[in-house]
Structures are given as structure tokens and as C-alpha cells.
């Protein structure tokens, strides 16, 4: 606790944060996920959700989402005329020889991972797995995370643009075996 107080009071408040998460919604989902930092293991595997989206593209029009006559168009004001444009997924992998080999036992908590482009906007393509009971809800909220145990091996991440700073992780160790 004393160490955290010292770090948080003197360094954290003066550093630019470059956070990554599997929680959704988030801006630029492909660039802000933990998956975008993971070095593939010897089989080329990077943890991902195994559930598939039932369909792609925009949802059918929902008349309940129309603005009442005379109401301000908040989406137009907030977007400032910008159009939605999902980013393409790119990964950088270190070229130099590594002594730590990525493990084979890492995965995503599949029941909570959202697939698609979950950025929280009206036209996001998210939460369309066959297990969802309301595909038109536009629900972007997901609390996914990395799943691992003592046999998983190393999780090797490439952290771009790191010169100095602190690395913090949230590890929920209280979940029992098979609870994901």
C-alpha cells in the first residue's frame, strides 16, 4: 500500500497514460485492446473470441430511435460532421530474437467478450453473437479479460512508445477453476 501511494502521488499524476483493455465500449477497439499488443505464440495464436457475429453491416432501422420533431440532433452535434470509419487491424511483431517464448494457454473470457467493432456509437457493429437474445439492442458493454492459469506460460506484449513509466495490471485471482 505504501508503494502504491508513493507511485500514484508522485508519478502517475504526471505521466501520459496509454491504457489497454478488453472492456467495451472503447474508442478505436482494434488499437486499444490488449490483443493488439500480444506477440503470437509458436503456433501463431493470439487470444480472440471464438463466437461469430450472426450478421455484419448496419442494423435495420429502429423507429424508436428517431428524434422527436424539433429536438436537437445530439449525434450531429457531438460528431461535428465526422463520419464513422472503422480502423483496420494491424499488429507489429518484434523482429529481434526473443528469449521468453509466448505461452500456449492464454485465452479470452469468451462468454463476456464482444466481437465486432464495439466503440459505443449508434452505428457500431457489436454484440451480435448467437447467444444474445436481443440483437437489435445495440448493446456494447462487455467485461472481457484474459484467461490464464499457472500452466499458461508467458504472455508477451509489445509495448510501443514506452520510454519510462509504470505498468499496472488488474488481475482477478479469486475466480475458481472453470468459472469463466
Amino acid at each position: 500500500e505504501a508503494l502504491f501511494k508513493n507511485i500514484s502521488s508522485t508519478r502517475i499524476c504526471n505521466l501520459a497514460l496509454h491504457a489497454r483493455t478488453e472492456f467495451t465500449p472503447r474508442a478505436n477497439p482494434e488499437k486499444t485492446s490488449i490483443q493488439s499488443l500480444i506477440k503470437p505464440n509458436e503456433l501463431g495464436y493470439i487470444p480472440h473470441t471464438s463466437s461469430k457475429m450472426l450478421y455484419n453491416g448496419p442494423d435495420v432501422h429502429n423507429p424508436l430511435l428517431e428524434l422527436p420533431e424539433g429536438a436537437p440532433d445530439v449525434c450531429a452535434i457531438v460528431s461535428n460532421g465526422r463520419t464513422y470509419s472503422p480502423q483496420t487491424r494491424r499488429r507489429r511483431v518484434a523482429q529481434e530474437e526473443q528469449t521468453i517464448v509466448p505461452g500456449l494457454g492464454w485465452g479470452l473470457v469468451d462468454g463476456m467478450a464482444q466481437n465486432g467493432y464495439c466503440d459505443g456509437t449508434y452505428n457500431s457493429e457489436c454484440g451480435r453473437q448467437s447467444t444474445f437474445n436481443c440483437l437489435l439492442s445495440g448493446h456494447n458493454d462487455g467485461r472481457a479479460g484474459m484467461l490464464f492459469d499457472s500452466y499458461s506460460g508467458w504472455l508477451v506484449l509489445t509495448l510501443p512508445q514506452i520510454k519510462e513509466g509504470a505498468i499496472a495490471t488488474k488481475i482477478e485471482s479469486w475466480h475458481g477453476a472453470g468459472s469463466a
Side-chain angles (χ1 to χ4, degrees):
E1 186 176 307
L3 174 64
F4 181 73
K5 267 188 173 178
N6 184 31
I7 290 173
S8 64
S9 63
T10 60
R11 295 186 68 196
I12 297 292
C13 293
N14 297 310
L15 292 175
L17 297 179
H18 301 282
R20 301 294 175 104
T21 184
E22 291 302 320
F23 285 19
T24 56
R26 61 180 184 271
N28 301 319
E30 286 90 6
K31 293 183 178 183
T32 56
S33 71
I34 296 171
Q35 296 172 65
S36 68
L37 300 175
I38 296 176
K39 180 179 178 183
N41 65 25
E42 62 192 33
L43 302 175
Y45 174 77
I46 292 177
H48 61 281
T49 179
S50 62
S51 60
K52 303 292 182 213
M53 292 201 345
L54 292 176
Y55 64 97
N56 293 318
D59 283 322
V60 295
H61 178 68
N62 185 344
L64 294 175
L65 297 176
E66 290 181 10
L67 291 173
E69 191 170 322
D73 188 348
V74 176
C75 290
I77 295 168
V78 171
S79 68
N80 196 22
R82 285 179 267 159
T83 57
Y84 171 75
S85 166
Q87 303 295 319
T88 56
R89 183 176 202 130
R90 296 182 182 146
R91 285 197 182 92
R92 293 187 332 183
V93 178
Q95 300 298 323
E96 64 273 0
E97 187 68 28
Q98 299 290 324
T99 56
I100 297 177
V101 177
L104 300 174
W106 290 83
L108 280 180
V109 180
D110 213 25
M112 301 178 83
Q114 296 276 37
N115 58 8
Y117 195 84
C118 305
D119 67 349
T121 59
Y122 167 77
N123 54 352
S124 65
E125 296 181 19
C126 184
R128 298 176 179 172
Q129 289 94 318
S130 62
T131 56
F132 287 11
N133 60 4
C134 186
L135 296 174
L136 293 178
S137 70
H139 187 56
N140 278 238
D141 187 42
R143 300 284 183 230
M146 303 302 297
L147 184 64
F148 63 98
D149 61 21
S150 59
Y151 299 108
S152 295
W154 288 100
L155 176 66
V156 181
L157 304 173
T158 301
L159 304 175
Q161 303 173 349
I162 298 294
K163 295 179 183 136
E164 63 178 359
I167 297 175
T169 62
K170 175 186 177 191
I171 298 176
E172 297 178 357
S173 61
W174 57 84
H175 299 287
S179 64

